[in-house]
Amino acid sequence: MNPLLSHLQPYPFERLRQLFAGVTPPAAYSPISLGMGEPRHPTPQFIKDALSNNLGGLASYPATAGEPRLREAFTQWLQKRYELALDPGTQVLPVNGSREALFSFAQTIIDPSQGQPLVVCPNPFYQIYEGAALLAGATPYYAPSDPARNFAVNWDTVPDAVWERTQLLFVCSPGNPTGAVMPLAEWKKLFELSDRYGFVIASDECYSEIYFRDEPPLGGLQAASKLGRSDFKNLISFTSLSKRSNVPGLRSGFVAGDAALIKAFLLYRTYHGSAMSPIVQAASIAAWGDEQHVVENRARYRKKFAQVTPLLAGVMDVALPDAGFYLWAKVPEALGMDDAEFARALLAQYNVTVLPGSYLAREAQGSNPGAQRVRMALVAETEECAEAALRIVQFIQSRTA
């Protein structure tokens, strides 16, 4: 067996299952889960139709690079969304969802023979970053987030000695679990560090189309273009249809950026066997070509967050995020319990599931930045999320009265 497998930590939802062992939720309350970030709005019918109308594709082996029409759909969307002009032949690739791509990209980039390589990632973070680093033969370095800036990462705390050994940096903007969006000045800082130390930046942007301000979140490639880095040197962005179009089961997204990195990634993927099904390609072309369903989806989230956030803000330290579909709430000190105890007691009393924030972070620089926080995924319909919020309010009030 690969000895690196022993370094992997249990996934947050496995830890949650263990935490809830022995708990019998009250039958008087229907179960409501705010735990998993799985989109639950209906999949648009035209995407389903594109799947069913292209079943003839089952008779063909797909090309790893994808059909030209698919790559053109990617670059057309990038032009509309970010005003970027990328070459569909050399600067984009289809991937089977951002999770698969984030993991396999690290295997492409990391050179374990070069003196104890490091992979820098946010803390809290998406656990695939950590697993990808470990199985590529690198060591994760957890860059702490700043609660005073909506848990945006404080890159200034990363020592030069760490950057010198860094081969890959994962950034997530809008962030999971906090929803923080990186501004242009922050991107400029990371590009300068990348130029100085030579590491690659992997920009996870799967939440980019769910936002609450008038201006859409800045993307990594967009930031590079604004700063005159039109070759996107050492930068790859990862984009997915899962959240944008409510198709997590489709497993479809794309990567874009530095042509040299795309070429190497394509070589890896050719051997990895990660070509996208022709049927999925057809549905993806349809999805990337339509924005109306995205606008409607975003409006549903805005309505939902506008209703739920004020309810919870009355009893918890929680605020509307910049983007994404999570609330990152602090467990009230008056309860005298940590985030895991809060999650277990809430399930036991009101049959509502939330994810302990400490499960999404690591102890680093003397603290776990997810401690005393819980992540709530507002992915169900508005009425169900509002009901969950009311139960949480009752739970807190019943224990602090």
Side-chain angles (χ1 to χ4, degrees):
M1 298 296 289
N2 184 341
L4 296 175
L5 286 169
S6 64
H7 298 308
L8 297 180
Q9 298 202 34
Y11 212 61
F13 301 107
E14 171 59 22
R15 296 181 66 185
L16 196 65
R17 187 186 67 80
Q18 295 173 7
L19 175 69
F20 291 163
V23 174
T24 302
Y29 292 100
S30 61
I32 300 178
S33 177
L34 307 181
M36 184 174 290
E38 178 181 54
R40 286 161 56 191
H41 293 170
T43 299
Q45 185 61 43
F46 78 91
I47 298 178
K48 296 179 184 179
D49 292 342
L51 279 169
S52 60
N53 292 338
N54 286 277
L55 295 179
L58 286 172
S60 305
Y61 279 119
T64 305
E67 298 177 13
R69 287 193 310 125
L70 177 64
R71 297 197 304 272
E72 289 168 3
F74 299 156
T75 55
Q76 288 169 6
W77 182 78
L78 288 168
Q79 176 66 49
K80 292 177 189 174
R81 172 64 168 83
Y82 298 112
E83 298 182 348
L84 299 172
L86 275 75
D87 183 345
T90 62
Q91 291 184 297
V92 293
L93 277 181
V95 296
N96 297 317
S98 56
R99 176 174 179 164
E100 173 270 315
L102 289 161
F103 179 85
S104 57
F105 187 67
Q107 317 309 302
T108 305
I109 296 300
I110 299 301
D111 180 357
S113 71
Q114 297 298 312
Q116 300 178 311
L118 294 175
V119 171
V120 174
C121 62
N123 194 24
F125 63 100
Y126 182 40
Q127 194 161 318
I128 294 302
Y129 309 154
E130 178 186 70
L134 292 169
L135 288 179
T139 301
Y141 180 90
Y142 308 103
S145 53
D146 183 359
R149 294 191 302 127
N150 191 25
F151 283 82
V153 180
N154 188 349
W155 304 110
D156 292 334
T157 65
V158 180
D160 289 344
V162 168
W163 290 125
E164 288 171 357
R165 291 168 49 198
T166 298
Q167 293 187 9
L168 178 62
L169 165 65
F170 282 113
V171 298
C172 187
S173 179
N176 173 10
T178 69
V181 173
M182 281 181 28
L184 187 62
E186 209 161 316
W187 279 109
K188 184 174 186 292
K189 178 183 300 182
L190 293 182
F191 292 148
E192 290 171 350
L193 288 166
S194 173
D195 289 343
R196 189 180 313 155
Y197 297 107
F199 59 77
V200 171
I201 300 174
S203 180
D204 181 356
E205 302 175 13
C206 69
Y207 298 95
S208 68
E209 303 314 290
I210 301 172
Y211 52 88
F212 305 98
R213 319 296 184 210
D214 292 334
E215 184 177 354
L218 179 70
L221 299 180
Q222 184 184 25
S225 179
K226 287 177 178 291
L227 294 169
R229 303 173 65 89
S230 57
D231 61 352
F232 309 119
K233 180 183 178 183
N234 279 338
L235 173 65
I236 295 289
S237 71
F238 296 72
T239 307
S240 169
L241 284 174
S242 295
K243 281 81 174 174
R244 173 188 181 273
S245 300
N246 297 306
V247 286
L250 193 67
R251 309 315 305 134
S252 177
F254 70 88
V255 296
D258 185 332
L261 296 178
I262 292 289
K263 182 179 180 180
F265 197 28
L266 174 58
L267 174 62
Y268 176 92
R269 298 180 68 75
T270 300
Y271 282 84
H272 184 50
S274 52
M276 181 183 289
S277 161
I279 305 170
V280 174
Q281 290 192 51
S284 301
I285 291 169
W288 288 116
D290 181 83
E291 282 300 315
Q292 185 56 40
H293 77 286
V294 183
V295 172
E296 294 170 359
N297 188 48
R298 186 158 53 242
R300 295 176 77 168
Y301 278 111
R302 286 181 169 182
K303 177 184 176 183
K304 187 187 314 185
F305 273 75
Q307 185 169 335
V308 172
T309 307
L311 292 173
L312 293 170
V315 294
M316 305 181 81
D317 176 6
V318 64
L320 186 72
D322 294 332
F325 51 46
Y326 301 115
L327 287 178
W328 185 238
K330 187 175 183 180
V331 176
E333 293 181 7
L335 292 178
M337 57 177 62
D338 64 26
D339 51 299
E341 292 169 334
F342 178 92
R344 182 179 169 90
L346 178 64
L347 179 71
Q349 189 169 342
Y350 283 105
N351 210 354
V352 173
T353 299
V354 297
L355 187 63
S358 58
Y359 290 8
L360 297 167
R362 295 287 180 262
E363 185 83 17
Q365 293 87 43
S367 67
N368 182 320
Q372 296 306 109
R373 293 268 170 176
V374 291
R375 192 189 76 177
M376 305 177 190
L378 302 191
V379 290
E381 294 297 342
T382 300
E383 295 74 16
E384 189 173 357
C385 289
E387 170 62 23
L390 289 173
R391 294 186 200 176
I392 293 169
V393 171
Q394 292 172 354
F395 171 76
I396 294 173
Q397 290 177 339
S398 70
R399 290 171 175 254
T400 57

